Amino acid sequence: MRNKRCFMCLALVMLSALIALAPVLAESLEDGEADIRFMENEWNYVEVSLDVSAGIPEDATGVLADIREAGVLRVATEPYFPPQEFIDPELDGQDSYVGSDMKLARLIAQRMGVALQIVPMDFSEVLNAVADGSCDVAISALSYTPGRASRMTMSKGYYYAGSRAGSGLMIRAADSGHITGIDDLVGRNIGAQSGSLQEALMYENVFHYREFRRMNSVQELYNALMDGTIDAAMVDLGTGHAYIDGNPRCGLMMVPDVHFALEEQFEGDRIAARKGEGQLIAFINGVIDEVLASGQYMEWYEEAAARASTLGL
């Protein structure tokens, strides 16, 4: 009986608190402040989705309202990460930015009922462009990290690499007998893409090497490996294997027994917006739900991988 009474008292207290809080919440919504419907979860990303069938809702606030007013969605990306984003030299202007992420960006703009402007830049500048307001969202094969989630509002995941999820070491195939694990990197030059999850993994797991070089794109890493500038690179497993499969004469390989698996909250590529833009991300989540339910994103991914392979990317 004591427990029952305590539970009833607690319920009454909570109900009273919610009633007292209701006017404050209503006022916050009217003022365009944080909407509790779009709050981030314990990992600092938004899980809720909006119905996108009617476009940007009438009660849109923040950047989502700005996008509707401007009539354009500005997307920051680093277009050198095939098959998600890359440049097709046979196309011109905005059409030249292709890949599964760019297909997703175009669908998001279509569902919003606005034009799309893809803004290319170095990967290290992608999140800064969103934070300073020069772009609305970042769509650039972004992995979740606590640091990114603390600075940005992130979507649910939309691309999962399956058995190739995680990161690993890429080396020259000629060095396979000499580099079989991270302990063999002593006295060698290593590399990772600047600002990436792989750069953080290199810092956390590799302590003995000659020089650590940060590069603006994964293609720079591949080139640096092939020309001997570096001896090993930390790369996304899925992307690394895709490059090797598409370029069988590149002379590169993934070290078989080096695999940095990701915890569940780290899995999946995500889209990022400025901190606090939960409604914008909830709209984007609605589009993500659509492409995941239909299998459309993976179709785009496979088509883009085939095209990237044809281009030797």
Side-chain angles (χ1 to χ4, degrees):
M1 177 65 76
R2 179 179 298 174
N3 290 339
K4 184 175 181 180
R5 285 178 178 171
C6 288
F7 177 78
M8 292 176 65
C9 290
L10 178 60
L12 288 172
V13 170
M14 292 176 65
L15 179 60
S16 298
L18 287 172
I19 292 173
L21 187 58
V24 177
L25 292 176
E27 182 179 354
S28 293
L29 294 181
E30 291 174 1
D31 293 342
E33 296 176 1
D35 189 329
I36 60 171
R37 293 175 296 171
F38 311 121
M39 289 180 64
E40 298 171 351
N41 63 13
E42 61 181 313
W43 301 111
N44 284 358
Y45 61 83
V46 176
E47 294 180 290
V48 69
S49 302
L50 281 178
D51 179 359
V52 302
S53 59
I56 297 176
E58 291 297 322
D59 66 349
T61 60
V63 172
L64 187 58
D66 294 340
I67 292 169
R68 181 175 61 188
E69 182 177 353
V72 61
L73 172 66
R74 302 168 301 170
V75 173
T77 194
E78 184 250 337
Y80 304 104
F81 197 80
Q84 284 95 323
E85 41 266 330
F86 58 101
I87 296 173
D88 190 325
E90 296 183 5
L91 300 175
D92 298 318
Q94 289 280 299
D95 291 340
S96 67
Y97 301 112
V98 298
S100 49
D101 278 5
M102 299 298 92
K103 288 275 193 178
L104 179 57
R106 290 184 172 94
L107 182 61
I108 292 170
Q110 180 182 335
R111 293 291 181 263
M112 288 180 171
V114 300
L116 175 67
Q117 180 185 2
I118 297 170
V119 185
M121 61 190 68
D122 288 343
F123 186 76
S124 59
E125 295 301 317
V126 166
L127 294 183
N128 292 334
V130 175
D132 68 21
S134 58
C135 289
D136 302 310
V137 296
I139 306 181
S140 197
L142 291 171
S143 301
Y144 168 93
T145 70
R148 287 175 184 167
S150 69
R151 296 172 50 213
M152 316 298 293
T153 297
M154 304 193 77
S155 74
K156 60 177 64 177
Y158 61 85
Y159 168 67
Y160 296 85
S163 61
R164 288 181 171 180
S167 299
L169 277 183
M170 179 182 280
I171 62 172
R172 291 180 291 276
D175 291 333
S176 61
H178 307 291
I179 303 177
T180 59
I182 59 176
D183 291 339
D184 297 321
L185 299 180
V186 176
R188 299 181 185 275
N189 296 329
I190 60 177
Q193 185 178 24
S194 179
S196 67
L197 172 63
Q198 287 71 39
E199 180 184 8
L201 287 171
M202 195 72 96
Y203 276 127
E204 293 171 3
N205 295 280
V206 182
F207 307 107
H208 304 290
Y209 51 85
R210 178 190 298 161
E211 184 178 352
F212 185 10
R213 301 190 180 186
R214 299 157 195 81
M215 301 186 183
N216 290 326
S217 71
V218 289
Q219 188 61 55
E220 285 187 45
L221 286 174
Y222 303 151
N223 293 340
L225 275 171
M226 288 185 282
D227 68 23
T229 302
I230 59 175
D231 302 299
M234 184 76 76
V235 301
D236 174 80
L237 281 175
T239 303
H241 279 293
Y243 182 79
I244 293 167
D245 293 345
N247 298 272
R249 297 182 180 179
C250 67
L252 303 179
M253 63 172 285
M254 301 300 299
V255 178
D257 297 324
V258 178
H259 180 195
F260 297 95
L262 299 177
E263 296 179 24
E264 182 179 355
Q265 70 272 17
F266 288 82
E267 294 180 355
D269 291 348
R270 301 172 189 273
I271 295 172
R274 196 169 62 198
K275 195 66 176 176
E277 295 298 332
Q279 189 182 31
L280 170 57
I281 290 298
F283 188 99
I284 288 169
N285 281 346
V287 183
I288 290 173
D289 290 344
E290 177 184 339
V291 298
L292 292 184
S294 66
Q296 182 69 73
Y297 187 84
M298 286 311 301
E299 291 181 15
W300 289 337
Y301 185 93
E302 290 166 5
E303 290 171 0
R307 179 56 178 162
S309 178
T310 299
L311 295 173
L313 300 177

